[in-house]
Amino acid sequence: METPSLAHLDLNQLRTFLAVYRSGSFTGAARLLGLSQPTVTTQMRALERQTGRELFERLPRGVAPTPVADQLAARIAAPLDELAAVAGPTPPAGTRAEPVHLAGPAEFLCTVVLPALAPLVAEGLRLRVSTGLTDPLLDELRAGHHDLVIATTRPRGRTLNAVPLSDEEFVLVAAPVWAERLTVRQQDPAVLHGVPLVTYAEDLPIARRYWRHVFGRRLSRTADVTVPDLRGVLAAVAAGAGFSVLPRYLCREPLESGALVALLEPEDAPINTGFLVQRPGASDNPDVARVRAFLLRAARTW
């Protein structure tokens, strides 16, 4: 599906479109932007005429974005948020900006996100970071406890705005002491049955997904070691405790140094998409838009 060209579109209409997209209604967008509802309606009709596409399906209560709207929002959200951050209100002299409350998986935040945000912190950004599982963090986001959440699954429903952030690839790994003894074939993972399995949780969420995707079968065994932090799983496996399935971002350096070995490199490795999630509408804190735009831009290099 071809996304409409942005060459001749009105910037104010695009801002209004994004407010409607995030709030889920013309009324909500009007409230966010300080406009009348008829003005929002007129702008959206004009934008639909210019693009030649229907952007929203009118519902009894609110609107639902069409696939064209999803594509358009993905293209303009980061640039408009960045522009809003640059043009946003400057705190009075002598005051400090409110901190941005960011939450997500501990491993991804500590390994990837916080190092990426270091330049913004050096420029004065204040952060309050929380870690945890996606579902509880999204509930806390809805309740207003966080500004942004990095989620491992797309939120259900329309109460939150989510955009894809990055894909993590899963890798079957072990220390060299085990790799030297094993020859893992994609058709037959039986050689691993005698090797201890180190994993994140008793239900083996990452390993089970890898088995289904790569080997085409169900993983029917229990874990030998469970550690509720993938960095702990990595440490145990690198020390020779056994094998595991880990996201590549976490084990990239040990793989490059030889401290870990990829037991298999399938052509179609399983991946999981992470999402950057926030409540609809613009935050009163301009640094929220700044962090969001920065992360979406930085994620292209992860």
Side-chain angles (χ1 to χ4, degrees):
M1 182 180 298
E2 185 178 350
T3 307
S5 170
L6 305 182
H8 304 292
L9 298 184
D10 182 88
L11 185 59
N12 288 326
Q13 291 178 359
L14 292 177
R15 288 195 184 100
T16 303
F17 160 79
L18 193 59
V20 174
Y21 184 87
R22 288 176 169 172
S23 64
S25 72
F26 288 179
T27 303
R31 185 167 55 250
L32 288 171
L33 298 172
L35 301 174
S36 67
Q37 183 174 336
T39 298
V40 171
T41 302
T42 299
Q43 289 191 11
M44 288 303 92
R45 286 175 178 168
L47 187 60
E48 288 181 327
R49 283 196 303 271
Q50 291 179 51
T51 60
R53 304 288 184 85
E54 183 182 13
L55 297 174
F56 296 103
E57 177 188 355
R58 277 62 171 177
L59 304 176
R61 297 186 62 181
V63 294
T66 65
V68 173
D70 289 334
Q71 293 181 5
L72 180 58
R75 290 182 64 188
I76 69 172
L80 287 184
D81 284 342
E82 195 164 359
L83 180 61
V86 171
T90 301
T95 65
R96 302 185 69 189
E98 287 297 313
V100 174
H101 293 262
L102 174 67
E107 304 90 344
F108 189 69
L109 286 174
C110 293
T111 305
V112 178
V113 175
L114 290 179
L117 290 175
L120 293 188
V121 175
E123 294 172 2
L125 173 71
R126 301 175 67 202
L127 279 176
R128 296 295 181 266
V129 178
S130 302
T131 63
L133 299 176
T134 285
D135 286 344
L137 290 180
L138 292 178
D139 287 341
E140 293 169 3
L141 176 65
R142 294 183 181 96
H145 299 307
H146 310 300
D147 296 308
L148 296 167
V149 167
I150 296 174
T152 56
T153 57
R154 183 187 287 275
R156 296 182 295 273
R158 301 183 184 277
T159 60
L160 297 173
N161 174 50
V163 293
L165 180 65
S166 64
D167 291 332
E168 57 182 13
E169 175 191 343
F170 294 122
V171 190
L172 182 68
V173 294
V177 64
W178 284 107
E180 291 168 1
R181 310 179 199 176
L182 302 172
T183 301
V184 181
R185 295 180 176 84
Q186 190 161 336
Q187 294 78 18
D188 184 15
V191 67
L192 291 169
H193 288 176
V195 184
L197 171 59
V198 186
T199 188
Y200 180 86
E202 291 287 357
D203 60 348
L204 319 178
I206 301 176
R208 285 191 294 106
R209 180 172 181 174
Y210 190 95
W211 248 247
R212 288 195 308 270
H213 186 96
V214 175
F215 299 123
R217 65 188 68 185
R218 182 174 176 270
L219 176 60
S220 56
R221 61 175 294 175
T222 58
D224 296 278
V225 179
T226 62
V227 187
D229 188 311
L230 292 177
R231 293 165 297 182
V233 174
L234 171 63
V237 173
F243 78 96
S244 189
V245 179
L246 291 169
R248 189 175 290 275
Y249 78 79
L250 188 64
C251 55
R252 181 174 288 110
E253 290 186 6
L255 286 172
E256 291 174 352
S257 70
L260 280 182
V261 177
L263 299 178
L264 192 64
E265 292 283 10
E267 292 184 5
D268 179 26
I271 62 171
N272 186 66
T273 300
F275 295 86
L276 188 57
V277 189
Q278 66 181 141
R279 293 183 304 281
S283 170
D284 293 334
N285 183 355
D287 278 344
V288 174
R290 187 179 173 208
V291 169
R292 185 180 186 276
F294 189 90
L295 288 177
L296 290 173
R297 186 171 62 250
R300 300 169 190 165
T301 65
W302 294 344

